[in-house]
Amino acid sequence: MEEKASLYLGDPSKVCRLYTSNNINHGTRRGTRDFPPAHFLFKVEAFSLLVKTGVEKYESDVFEASGHKWRLSLYPNGDCKSNGNGFISLYLVIEETENLPLTWEVNVSFRLFVFDRIRDKYLTIEDADGAVKRFHWMKTEWGFAQLISIESFSDTSNGYLVGDCCIFGAEVFVMERNSKWECLSMVKQPDDNTIIFKMDDFSKLDKKYYESSVHNIGGSKWKLTVYPKGNVKFKGKALSVFLELVEADKLPPKRKAYAEYKLRVRNQISDNHKEFSVEHWFSATNVNWGYPQFMPLKVLHDPSKGYILYDSLIVEAEITLISKVKHFP
């Protein structure tokens, strides 16, 4: 019966359970899994006859994966120029790059495979550190000069070469460079960091609360909210003061904004100001934070204390630390 060397090129269709191991050697990670290669299978029949031809390398037909064209380059006797003596060498080669820009590059994460026919599993070979390989006009192939030793490959008990037949494979995942950057900065003492809210004719104010003008501090908009006669359960008992992140409802989902600040009622006859330090993460569901019981109304309205002078009250918010988010394309 005539022996012949033939090749089978095709796509996998078998879906099986995944299994991996952590055998790392010579800069490569080797594992086994049931699931076949996602993009390409390459079968060689009568492998020994292919070896006897003395061919240095055999290149598969082109296959497509992740929007690009590829082929496998097999060295059945090893790639001697890259320290592949005594090993099977296998490389992934990018093809049909003529229409790409002059400065083209394709960044790829890939695995190569050898099928174990006895155990119905695939030996996987990839870089130990999971490095992304950069294909460009000066470097059009990447792979493994020492994919598997010829001794191990030829031992039929390992299942890689059974009936003089073997199967190689490849998975190719292109890493597109369309990522965006987000930068979170914690800014100490941002510029123009104090909101000064002077409330004139304080004794005549009859609304539930009053708001300062909006200030842009650290790239965010802020305002003070003051309840002259107190808020909720402290109504009629205490002055209530809050700092509010304006347009917090427009923040992206789960975005938070941090601020450290001082809420202050100025003493207008001395430096004995009433002041509290606050730390808070603001969000779309938590737009303001402060003190509902900032100061008893009795103390506030005591002329000897100096908080109200000429029927004016001065409330301040001094932001000393703030988070700031920037996005870059």
Side-chain angles (χ1 to χ4, degrees), residues 7 9 40 42 58-64 70-72 95:
L7 304 173
L9 311 178
F40 192 63
F42 172 24
Y58 183 90
E59 295 182 299
S60 75
D61 285 345
V62 169
F63 65 95
E64 186 170 351
W70 312 87
R71 72 170 79 245
L72 288 180
E95 292 289 344

Side-chain angles (χ1 to χ4, degrees), residues 208-272:
K208 181 179 179 181
Y209 63 88
Y210 291 83
E211 297 176 333
S212 72
S213 59
V214 175
H215 288 61
N216 193 319
I217 301 174
S220 298
K221 296 178 180 180
W222 304 89
K223 67 181 179 182
L224 275 167
T225 302
V226 178
Y227 293 75
K229 295 179 174 61
N231 183 31
V232 194
K233 66 179 181 179
F234 296 104
K235 186 174 182 180
K237 299 178 181 179
L239 179 75
S240 302
V241 181
F242 302 90
L243 178 67
E244 179 175 334
L245 176 60
V246 181
E247 299 180 349
D249 59 327
K250 296 182 180 179
L251 289 174
K254 299 193 176 182
R255 168 76 66 77
K256 294 182 179 181
Y258 181 76
E260 292 182 5
Y261 54 99
K262 296 176 182 179
L263 293 177
R264 179 185 305 121
V265 170
R266 292 190 64 86
N267 190 313
Q268 300 182 64
I269 61 175
S270 72
D271 292 330
N272 188 25

